[in-house]
């Protein structure tokens, strides 16, 4: 039987929400083992004072196998 832990990550990108999510997963993959599921929880954008998009943000729940 396995146990999995879920953490929340926020990825950012100047290109797109997809790239923001991919950035977060790439970072998680570099430091965590046995990633299982990534769930997109929220998408938003940061705007500058004129209303132009500065960056896209993707909030993710990432699960991975928990080891003692």
């Amino acid at each position: 039987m396995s146990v999995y832990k879920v953490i929340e990550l926020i990825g950012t990108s100047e290109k797109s929400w997809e790239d923001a999510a991919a950035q977060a997963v790439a970072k998680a993959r570099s430091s965590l083992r046995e990633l299982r599921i990534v769930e997109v929880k929220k998408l938003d954008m940061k705007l500058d004072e004129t209303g132009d998009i500065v960056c896209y943000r993707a909030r993710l729940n990432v699960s991975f196998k928990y080891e003692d």
Side-chain angles (χ1 to χ4, degrees), residues 6 17 35 53 55:
V6 177
W17 283 306
L35 297 179
I53 299 168
C55 75

Side-chain angles (χ1 to χ4, degrees), residues 2-17:
S2 299
V3 175
Y4 297 91
K5 184 173 179 87
V6 177
I7 60 172
E8 184 176 75
L9 299 175
I10 300 172
T12 63
S13 170
E14 294 179 355
K15 297 177 191 176
S16 67
W17 283 306

Side-chain angles (χ1 to χ4, degrees), residues 17-46:
W17 283 306
E18 291 86 357
D19 188 55
Q23 295 292 333
V25 171
K27 190 65 160 177
R29 191 174 50 230
S30 72
S31 63
L32 300 171
R33 293 186 297 154
E34 297 196 50
L35 297 179
R36 295 293 183 197
I37 302 290
V38 176
E39 178 183 11
V40 177
K41 298 298 288 181
K42 184 178 178 181
L43 300 172
D44 61 24
M45 294 177 276
K46 183 177 179 183

